[in-house]
Amino acid sequence: MRRSAPVSSRLAAFGALAVAGMLALAACTPTPTPTPSPTQTSASPSPTAAPTPTGPVFVPEGSAQDNLPLFAQVVNQVAATDARVQGRAYIDALAAAGFPKAQMQVTNDLTTVGNPADSIQFSVAWAGECLVGQVGPSTPAPMALVLPLLPAGTCLIGQTRPIDW
């Protein structure tokens, strides 16, 4: 019996919400850069604008919801590679994006008999909530969403693997 099935069911229930949220984020457009007013001359110095980041950024003091766009971007980037069914690839990419490994969990890539897992889940406990991702052959598309922290203080139910690298 697979112990992580409740997580898959829980993630599937929120799948439509996650997709709707991602579509809403995709509809956002960046604010256009202001153009100089006609009263400025080429002789007057103009202030140099700070470069604006392209895409989601890590918000260390932000909520799980604030960091969901970056989490989702990392999940989608890894899912587009040959490492898409390797839990370590997601953990390493999330750590590179700024999320602390000490707050992460990941399920096994293989079943107890050595077959590839139908899906893998990974999470980051963040500000009293959980950023949770799910990928794999039984998942129609990579999923990333915010879920409540479990009473035990973790994000995933069932057996997870140690993150000891």
Side-chain angles (χ1 to χ4, degrees):
M1 172 152 71
R2 212 164 133 181
R3 299 178 78 194
S4 63
V7 172
S8 298
S9 299
R10 194 165 121 186
L11 285 174
F14 290 100
L17 179 62
V19 171
M22 285 188 238
L23 290 174
L25 287 173
C28 296
T29 57
T31 306
T33 344
T35 56
S37 67
T39 59
Q40 290 181 331
T41 65
S42 58
S44 66
S46 62
T48 305
T52 56
T54 56
V57 295
F58 182 62
V59 185
E61 301 301 319
S63 67
Q65 195 66 45
D66 294 336
N67 284 292
L68 181 60
L70 178 61
F71 183 87
Q73 176 179 299
V74 170
V75 170
N76 287 324
Q77 287 173 343
V78 175
T81 71
D82 290 339
R84 67 184 152 271
V85 291
Q86 298 171 9
R88 182 176 180 158
Y90 294 93
I91 299 303
D92 290 346
L94 290 166
F99 295 100
K101 273 189 186 181
Q103 298 300 109
M104 295 185 198
Q105 290 181 281
V106 63
T107 60
N108 290 305
D109 300 346
L110 300 173
T111 66
T112 56
V113 294
N115 294 327
D118 290 333
S119 69
I120 58 172
Q121 295 86 37
F122 40 89
S123 66
V124 180
W126 193 264
E129 294 184 290
C130 297
L131 292 157
V132 179
Q134 181 177 0
V135 296
S138 68
T139 306
M143 299 181 85
L145 56 149
V146 175
L147 294 173
L149 192 65
L150 297 171
T154 60
C155 295
L156 301 181
I157 296 171
Q159 184 177 2
T160 59
R161 65 189 261 202
I163 299 174
D164 55 5
W165 61 89

